Amino acid sequence: MKIFVAGATGAIGRPLIAQLLAQGHEVVALTRSLEKAQTLAEQGVELAIRQSLHFVNADVFDADAVKVAITRTQPEVVIEQLTSLPKTYTSESMSAASALNTRIRREGGANVLAAAQAAGVRRYLRQSIAFWAIPGAGLADEETPLAFDASPAVAADAHIVTEIERDLLGNPNLEGIALRYGFLYGPGTWFAPDGDVAQQVRQQQFPIVGNGEGVWSWVHIEDAAIATVAAAERGNPGIYLITDDQPLTVREWLSAYAKWLNAPPPPQVSVEDALRISGADAVYYGTQMRGASNAKAKRELNFQPRPLEWMVNSTVAHAS
């Protein structure tokens, strides 16, 4: 198939391109600059570039340019992976990046979606988020309501996720698929050994809040790419939670992660101190977040995620 990828040089975009090419697809990658396109070449896909990877230059905020790019290339499938996230994972940097990230997801995504529809694209996949379900017992699935009444940033993102998913899944002219990814780890992510969170953990700047009962669901960046290709090829329209098999409380995963990094054990802070120092969102992440079930992705996409790498030799049991 000919597949158009918007956000091709992002965290998921890079391994996604490699997976698509490995499966024999022709890929058209949208990029704002030739410099960003060059990063793919530097990752060892020079032969693939000559054979079946093509670049088009357009700014996703330029609706006309995006429309021309998709109309000219005539893809069967569009995969949208648009985000604008900072290199550092702190409340300050995330807050500073929020406005552009929201704009690129809403406005940029809307431009790509409209262009795809105008070009007669058959299938459209959009990146979404797996960890905004309402707090509660057990694991959330695709039908679980999102946390509109959570802490400020979480609630805002839950509304954005709902909006962009509704725009896609409610479009009768496209086979729309929303891929809700778990927390991404692996090369190029915050949680890689050379990533920002790893550095914070080594410096004991990433604490366990309260009892650390917030449950996080993870997915390796390459597994996210593999699942995306499977969804493009044979997924049913609708929502998929793309996470691994081992949702873990913060207390469990962060302790094991620190040990894996040969870092000191993470410090613990009270909910009151966390509220004062880091705010309500940090408390939500640490104490209320709900894990996600990957049962649908495993059943329909034959998704087989790898174990969380820093838990492989750990005796910590997974959360349920």
Side-chain angles (χ1 to χ4, degrees), residues 10 29 32 44 54 65 68 71 120 144 189 207 221 238 241 251 257 274 281 303:
R32 284 178 295 175
H54 316 284
V68 168
T71 300
T144 304
T189 70
I221 197 81
L241 294 172
R251 182 181 64 251
Y257 182 58
D281 293 306
F303 183 47

Side-chain angles (χ1 to χ4, degrees), residues 1 3 16 19-20 23 25 79 123 125 177 179 223-236 240 242 297 300-304:
M1 291 188 295
I3 299 177
L16 174 59
Q19 288 293 331
L20 287 168
Q23 294 303 313
H25 298 292
I79 302 177
R123 171 166 288 214
L125 286 71
I177 298 175
L179 298 169
D223 289 340
I226 291 168
T228 302
V229 175
E233 293 173 337
R234 61 184 182 274
N236 294 311
Y240 287 94
I242 307 299
E300 297 187 11
L301 304 178
N302 192 31
F303 183 47
Q304 299 176 19

Side-chain angles (χ1 to χ4, degrees), residues 107-155:
E107 182 183 337
N111 288 340
V112 177
L113 182 62
Q117 181 172 335
V121 170
R122 173 178 61 87
R123 171 166 288 214
Y124 192 106
L125 286 71
R126 169 170 270 176
Q127 179 182 148
S128 192
I129 299 172
F131 37 85
W132 293 152
I134 58 170
L139 300 178
D141 63 18
E142 286 77 5
E143 303 302 321
T144 304
L146 300 189
F148 298 136
D149 296 323
S151 57
V154 174

Side-chain angles (χ1 to χ4, degrees), residues 135-136 207-216 249-251 269-272 274-275 279-290:
I208 296 171
V209 176
N211 57 14
E213 288 296 319
V215 178
W216 290 35
T249 64
V250 175
R251 182 181 64 251
V269 300
S270 68
V271 168
E272 293 75 18
L275 279 171
D281 293 306
V283 173
Y284 184 91
Y285 274 75
T287 65
Q288 293 182 273
M289 188 160 286
R290 185 175 183 177

Side-chain angles (χ1 to χ4, degrees), residues 88-306:
T88 58
Y89 184 69
T90 65
S91 58
E92 294 81 12
S93 61
M94 293 297 287
S95 178
S98 176
L100 179 57
N101 191 44
T102 297
R103 185 186 175 209
I104 200 168
R105 290 160 72 193
R106 279 182 167 156
E107 182 183 337
N111 288 340
V112 177
L113 182 62
Q117 181 172 335
V121 170
R122 173 178 61 87
R123 171 166 288 214
Y124 192 106
L125 286 71
R126 169 170 270 176
Q127 179 182 148
S128 192
I129 299 172
F131 37 85
W132 293 152
I134 58 170
L139 300 178
D141 63 18
E142 286 77 5
E143 303 302 321
T144 304
L146 300 189
F148 298 136
D149 296 323
S151 57
V154 174
D157 231 17
H159 281 286
I160 293 168
V161 164
T162 299
E163 175 188 319
I164 64 176
E165 289 183 353
R166 183 179 59 240
D167 290 345
L168 172 60
L169 302 180
N171 190 318
N173 301 311
L174 291 167
E175 297 174 4
I177 298 175
L179 298 169
R180 293 181 180 175
Y181 301 115
F183 285 95
L184 298 170
Y185 73 97
T189 70
W190 291 317
F191 295 91
D194 60 350
D196 186 63
V197 171
Q199 185 65 16
Q200 292 181 48
V201 170
R202 291 187 182 99
Q203 296 175 354
Q204 292 193 292
Q205 295 174 349
F206 201 107
I208 296 171
V209 176
N211 57 14
E213 288 296 319
V215 178
W216 290 35
S217 286
W218 299 87
V219 65
H220 191 281
I221 197 81
E222 293 175 6
D223 289 340
I226 291 168
T228 302
V229 175
E233 293 173 337
R234 61 184 182 274
N236 294 311
I239 297 169
Y240 287 94
L241 294 172
I242 307 299
T243 64
D244 70 14
D245 295 328
Q246 196 174 19
L248 293 163
T249 64
V250 175
R251 182 181 64 251
E252 293 166 328
W253 75 255
L254 185 51
S255 297
Y257 182 58
K259 186 175 182 180
W260 180 69
L261 293 170
N262 293 317
Q268 228 170 327
V269 300
S270 68
V271 168
E272 293 75 18
D273 284 344
L275 279 171
R276 178 174 51 82
I277 298 169
S278 303
D281 293 306
V283 173
Y284 184 91
Y285 274 75
T287 65
Q288 293 182 273
M289 188 160 286
R290 185 175 183 177
S293 168
N294 63 10
K296 181 181 177 182
K298 295 182 78 170
R299 182 175 66 249
E300 297 187 11
L301 304 178
N302 192 31
F303 183 47
Q304 299 176 19
R306 70 198 70 187

